[in-house]
Amino acid sequence: MKARLSCVVLGALLALPATAKEGDTFQPFVSYARYYDSNLYRLAESEKNLVPQLSDQYGVLSAGLNVDWQPGRQRVIASASKSLVRFSHYSNLDYDGSDYRLNWNWRLGNRWSGQVGATESTTQSSLSDQLGLPVNNTVTRENRFANADWQFHPRWHAGLGAAAATSTNSTAQQATLDYEDTSVSATLGYTTPKGSKLRVQLRQVDGEYPHRPVIYLDRFYTQTEYNLLGDWSLTGKLTAHGRIGYTRRENDTQSQRDFSGVTGRLSADYFPTGKTMLTWAAYREIANSDDLNASYQLNTGTSLGAAWLLTSRVTLRASGSFENRSFEGDTGVVIPGLVQRDEDTLSGSLSLSYAPIRMVTIDLGVQAGRRDSNVAVNDYTFRSVFVSVRADF
């Protein structure tokens, strides 16, 4: 599947004219970033003797191209990139990553529109939950989607959508985290006289963990969502987006592993001046669990970001985030001393971006974070520094 999607994306990109027309975009890029991380494996103080060295440096060399092509009323957005990640000390963690995306925003007449697309990415799984184990695991995520929207009235429209997603781990140790799901959705929307949009949505997801041992966890689940979605332009400087709803998740055998409750996400972008921007988000969402001692995890958090255009060439950025991850769903297996995790993660970053010429951007920044868990070995703190250079041709 990976080879097929990469060929489709690259073929679509190479089939485009060598010289783009006005309004089209055909933009190759190359970048290199260098990182220093003080606690690469995200180990607790009591676990630091598990590895010979806590810190490491690594480089990320990336190259690819982006396309935004508009033939008539259609629009094709595509990208393809490859990344080589190489570590100075822990060379066993070296890997090659990739990211492919293809999206066709189609229109038919004045009433029909929609999207057809696919994405595929390969990246290294998080090292924060491996407790220092020297496992170089990559995760390949694939997504295929299609939707159609019918505007049957100047202010009303209805839509249908379908998608299929997979997540596949490269090592046998992490194969139990593989999952597959298919989803369908129906939406009814209304556009206000001022341009804000409100939609009600019914969505159902059928999922499977194909490699999980049944003795510990259900392998199949059905998730039903009843959502209210909105996009608002509150003023010329403030826009907001929201999704709030009720989610019910049912497993195939054990009802004590089910979930039902309110979920949602709110976000806002505020432009107080022509040179500053603030972004904020808050969420409560259910996600597939990466722990065999839980059927699912409930993520609740918030984030805040800011950008300040100091000069025409220099931009200062800052961000901070907080997230609570609650691992839930009774597995039905009692193991003395083993509890379900509940942990808080706090992180922040500060960076400076400099564009000496139009096609080149240089970034320099620092990051820091910590996690506090009810399972002591999952606590950690870290600090990192990075510098990157990117050229867009």
Side-chain angles (χ1 to χ4, degrees):
M1 180 64 73
K2 177 180 179 181
R4 288 202 301 269
L5 179 58
S6 61
C7 289
V8 169
V9 174
L10 291 173
L13 298 178
L14 293 175
L16 295 172
T19 303
K21 297 180 293 183
E22 183 179 357
D24 297 346
T25 298
F26 184 81
Q27 191 173 64
F29 73 89
V30 62
S31 68
Y32 180 76
R34 190 72 184 175
Y35 294 83
Y36 164 81
D37 196 299
S38 67
N39 186 3
L40 185 67
Y41 278 104
R42 303 296 186 261
L43 294 176
E45 190 69 32
S46 61
E47 306 298 310
K48 291 183 177 180
N49 60 349
L50 294 177
V51 296
Q53 178 177 311
L54 279 178
S55 63
D56 203 358
Q57 299 181 37
Y58 60 96
V60 182
L61 176 63
S62 301
L65 51 85
N66 299 308
V67 168
D68 187 345
W69 180 43
Q70 299 186 56
R73 303 182 69 187
Q74 314 304 308
R75 184 177 186 184
V76 177
I77 300 174
S79 64
S81 66
K82 295 286 291 185
S83 299
L84 306 181
V85 183
R86 300 294 182 263
F87 292 81
S88 296
H89 180 78
Y90 291 106
S91 58
N92 58 295
L93 296 178
D94 293 352
Y95 76 97
D96 297 346
S98 61
D99 194 323
Y100 305 106
R101 299 175 183 272
L102 181 62
N103 190 10
W104 170 28
N105 296 328
W106 59 268
R107 290 198 66 88
L108 183 62
N110 295 323
R111 295 182 180 273
W112 289 92
S113 63
Q115 295 179 320
V116 177
T119 67
E120 180 186 286
S121 65
T122 298
T123 187
Q124 192 173 59
S125 60
S126 173
L127 300 176
S128 62
D129 297 316
Q130 294 186 190
L131 298 180
L133 296 177
V135 177
N136 186 0
N137 180 71
T138 58
V139 182
T140 298
R141 297 179 176 89
E142 301 176 0
N143 186 32
R144 311 289 181 267
F145 58 89
N147 58 69
D149 193 83
W150 173 41
Q151 187 171 3
F152 59 89
H153 182 275
R155 300 203 180 281
W156 290 91
H157 61 92
L160 294 174
T166 63
S167 178
T168 307
N169 292 265
S170 63
T171 62
Q173 297 95 321
Q174 303 292 327
T176 55
L177 302 180
D178 294 353
Y179 71 84
E180 305 169 356
D181 70 48
T182 58
S183 63
V184 292
S185 63
T187 305
L188 177 65
Y190 173 74
T191 303
T192 70
K194 293 185 177 181
S196 295
K197 298 180 180 180
L198 297 174
R199 303 179 299 282
V200 291
Q201 180 192 64
L202 173 62
R203 181 171 180 262
Q204 180 171 303
V205 183
D206 292 306
E208 176 187 2
Y209 296 94
H211 302 127
R212 279 197 164 175
V214 180
I215 188 174
Y216 294 111
L217 287 171
D218 289 292
R219 294 177 59 184
F220 301 91
Y221 65 87
T222 298
Q223 182 169 309
T224 306
E225 303 174 10
Y226 307 89
N227 295 316
L228 174 65
L229 305 98
D231 301 284
W232 304 274
S233 296
L234 301 175
T235 69
K237 296 183 177 182
L238 177 62
T239 60
H241 311 276
R243 174 184 55 81
I244 187 168
Y246 179 82
T247 299
R248 184 175 70 245
R249 181 164 176 155
E250 300 171 298
N251 292 281
D252 59 336
T253 59
Q254 302 294 328
S255 61
Q256 72 265 26
R257 304 173 186 176
D258 297 346
F259 167 84
S260 61
V262 175
T263 59
R265 175 180 288 265
L266 297 174
S267 64
D269 299 318
Y270 178 51
F271 301 86
T273 72
K275 294 186 176 182
T276 55
M277 180 182 71
L278 297 174
T279 62
W280 168 82
Y283 57 90
R284 184 179 191 262
E285 298 173 332
I286 186 175
N288 289 341
S289 171
D290 61 0
D291 195 316
L292 284 178
N293 194 36
S295 301
Y296 61 87
Q297 63 187 56
L298 188 61
N299 302 332
T300 306
T302 186
S303 63
L304 181 66
W308 182 16
L309 187 64
L310 300 175
T311 73
S312 60
R313 299 180 183 274
V314 179
T315 304
L316 178 66
R317 294 183 176 87
S319 65
S321 65
F322 169 82
E323 181 179 72
N324 171 264
R325 292 199 303 172
S326 179
F327 292 75
E328 301 181 5
D330 186 357
T331 63
V333 179
V334 178
I335 302 177
L338 185 63
V339 299
Q340 289 183 312
R341 291 157 54 192
D342 188 277
E343 52 199 30
D344 296 331
T345 304
L346 182 67
S347 61
S349 67
L350 182 67
S351 65
L352 195 66
S353 180
Y354 173 55
I357 58 177
R358 183 186 61 82
M359 62 181 291
V360 175
T361 305
I362 303 171
D363 289 285
L364 175 65
V366 295
Q367 299 172 326
R370 63 175 297 142
R371 184 170 74 185
D372 298 304
S373 175
N374 63 335
V375 180
V377 294
N378 287 304
D379 292 345
Y380 66 74
T381 61
F382 81 95
R383 299 177 305 279
S384 69
V385 180
F386 68 90
V387 60
S388 67
V389 179
R390 173 174 170 134
D392 292 278
F393 303 98

